[in-house]
């Protein structure tokens, strides 16, 4: 099926990381112009841009928690490709240490919300301003949330709160505002569960951690970045999902907030997808740095 992305411009934040790279490749394969956003990983972003083809891909650096840098990044893209029709808000962080709310430093709390929530507010605000100014028809935003937004995550209350804020209060509010803007835009959220990316390879290599995760997943396996990318592209497409807005699509293998399997019923070797590209191996939550 032709998803209708030919010639459209897609801004993928955090595109230098595992999920972001898969999303960027997916849109490029559908003949879209792809903005490969990165914060600090310039080498990975430029390598991906060369892979996608520099005529239709552009690497853009910005700290998305800085509103002036967000505005400059969108202006740079507009100068190169014109209007940006699709925003994939993938950038974010997942602090790897387990810290209870009682022990969490206020600085960590603020930093996580700044990286995961405030950055998306600034990106979406800039995107919506452009949609209104340029009278863009058929605009779309896909937010990358997490199953932590659905089930919570003990030891990661800052992360769960930031992703829940995106997937529910923020998205549901912006849904109605986007529908009124220009040609009527859409916004949806993909909430990945455990996904193979480079950011937390120690969790894949730790058999006990993987088994604890798998015991809650109906399909008894973790996702590949491509699994997440396919869901993002479906929701971004007005041809495939043109009457879908304000929805949360959980891509987690049927994860539940309870144990489904005993350790004897799990096969870790079959549960972790082999890496399909330079994104490498390792399971983590979604988002790959600002």
């Amino acid at each position: 099926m032709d998803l209708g992305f030919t010639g459209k411009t897609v801004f993928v934040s955090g595109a230098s990381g595992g999920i972001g790279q898969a999303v960027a490749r997916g849109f490029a394969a559908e003949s879209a112009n792809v903005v490969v956003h990165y914060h600090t990983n310039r080498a990975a972003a430029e390598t991906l841009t060369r892979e996608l083809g520099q005529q239709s891909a552009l690497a853009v650096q910005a700290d998305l928690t800085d509103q002036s840098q967000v505005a400059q990044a969108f202006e740079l893209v507009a100068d190169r490709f014109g209007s940006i029709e699709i925003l994939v808000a993938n950038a974010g962080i997942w602090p790897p240490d387990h810290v209870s709310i009682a022990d969490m430093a206020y600085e960590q709390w603020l930093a996580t919300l700044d990286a995961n929530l405030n950055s998306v507010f600034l990106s979406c605000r800039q995107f919506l301003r452009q949609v209104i100014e340029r009278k863009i028809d058929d605009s779309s935003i896909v937010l990358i949330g997490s199953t932590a937004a659905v089930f919570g995550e003990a030891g990661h209350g800052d992360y769960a709160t930031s992703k829940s804020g995106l997937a529910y209060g923020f998205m549901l509010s912006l849904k109605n505002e986007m529908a009124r803007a220009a040609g009527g835009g859409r916004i949806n959220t993909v909430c990945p569960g455990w996904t193979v990316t480079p950011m937390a390879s120690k969790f894949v290599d730790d058999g006990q951690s993987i088994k604890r995760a798998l015991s809650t997943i109906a399909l008894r396996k973790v996702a590949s970045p491509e699994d997440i990318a396919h869901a993002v592209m479906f929701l971004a497409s007005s041809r495939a999902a043109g009457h879908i807005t304000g929805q949360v699509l959980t891509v987690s293998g049927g994860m539940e907030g309870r144990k489904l399997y005993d350790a004897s019923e799990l096969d870790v070797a079959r549960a972790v997808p082999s890496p399909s590209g330079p994104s490498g191996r390792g399971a983590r939550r979604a988002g790959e740095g600002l």
Side-chain angles (χ1 to χ4, degrees):
M1 178 181 182
D2 181 358
L3 294 173
F5 296 138
T6 300
K8 290 193 174 183
T9 299
V10 184
F11 189 110
V12 182
S13 70
S16 61
I19 290 175
Q21 286 189 19
V23 171
R25 290 189 181 101
F27 279 106
E30 294 286 329
S31 301
N33 299 319
V34 179
V35 180
V36 179
H37 162 263
Y38 69 99
H39 182 201
T40 58
N41 198 348
R42 178 178 178 178
E46 292 185 344
T47 297
L48 179 60
T49 300
R50 288 193 295 270
E51 174 193 330
L52 300 182
Q54 292 181 310
Q55 294 299 315
S56 58
L58 175 68
V60 173
Q61 190 278 334
D63 177 352
L64 299 182
T65 66
D66 183 325
Q67 58 184 328
S68 64
Q69 291 191 38
V70 173
Q72 290 170 4
F74 274 73
E75 289 172 6
L76 180 64
V77 177
D79 289 342
R80 170 70 178 276
F81 292 128
S83 301
I84 304 170
E85 288 90 356
I86 299 168
L87 169 65
V88 180
N90 167 71
I93 62 172
W94 181 63
D97 294 332
H98 293 257
V99 182
S100 70
I101 294 296
D103 296 328
M104 187 174 294
Y106 187 44
E107 290 76 12
Q108 176 179 328
W109 176 268
L110 291 178
T112 303
L113 265 65
D114 197 29
N116 292 351
L117 193 56
N118 295 343
S119 69
V120 176
F121 158 70
L122 291 175
S123 299
C124 290
R125 185 182 69 173
Q126 194 66 36
F127 178 78
L128 193 57
R129 286 176 173 176
Q130 178 214 237
V131 166
I132 294 170
E133 178 184 345
R134 292 173 174 262
K135 297 181 172 59
I136 298 171
D137 291 331
D138 195 25
S139 62
S140 178
I141 297 174
V142 181
L143 308 178
I144 303 299
S146 168
T147 50
V150 180
F151 300 114
E153 188 169 358
H156 296 276
D158 51 342
Y159 179 81
T161 298
S162 67
K163 292 299 187 178
S164 182
L166 287 182
Y168 296 100
F170 182 74
M171 178 187 71
L172 294 176
S173 299
L174 190 52
K175 164 180 70 72
N176 296 332
E177 296 181 16
M178 286 191 68
R180 293 176 178 270
R186 300 178 302 108
I187 180 170
N188 293 284
T189 300
V190 173
C191 281
W194 287 102
T195 306
V196 176
T197 72
M199 287 295 289
S201 59
K202 66 179 182 180
F203 293 100
V204 169
D205 296 331
D206 181 351
Q208 290 303 114
S209 294
I210 283 294
K211 284 190 174 183
R212 282 196 297 271
L214 293 175
S215 70
T216 69
I217 300 173
L219 295 183
R220 286 182 281 190
K221 64 187 182 73
V222 296
S224 70
E226 289 73 23
D227 290 325
I228 311 306
H230 295 159
V232 169
M233 294 168 65
F234 164 70
L235 289 174
S237 170
S238 61
R239 292 187 181 178
H243 202 55
I244 300 175
T245 192
Q247 301 303 304
V248 174
L249 177 56
T250 302
V251 184
S252 64
M255 178 187 288
E256 296 188 16
R258 63 187 180 93
K259 185 176 179 179
L260 298 173
Y261 298 105
D262 293 325
S264 62
E265 299 178 276
L266 301 171
D267 184 349
V268 174
R270 297 181 61 184
V272 181
S274 299
S276 57
S279 59
R281 186 168 179 263
R284 67 151 296 180
R285 301 296 188 185
E288 297 295 343
L290 297 169

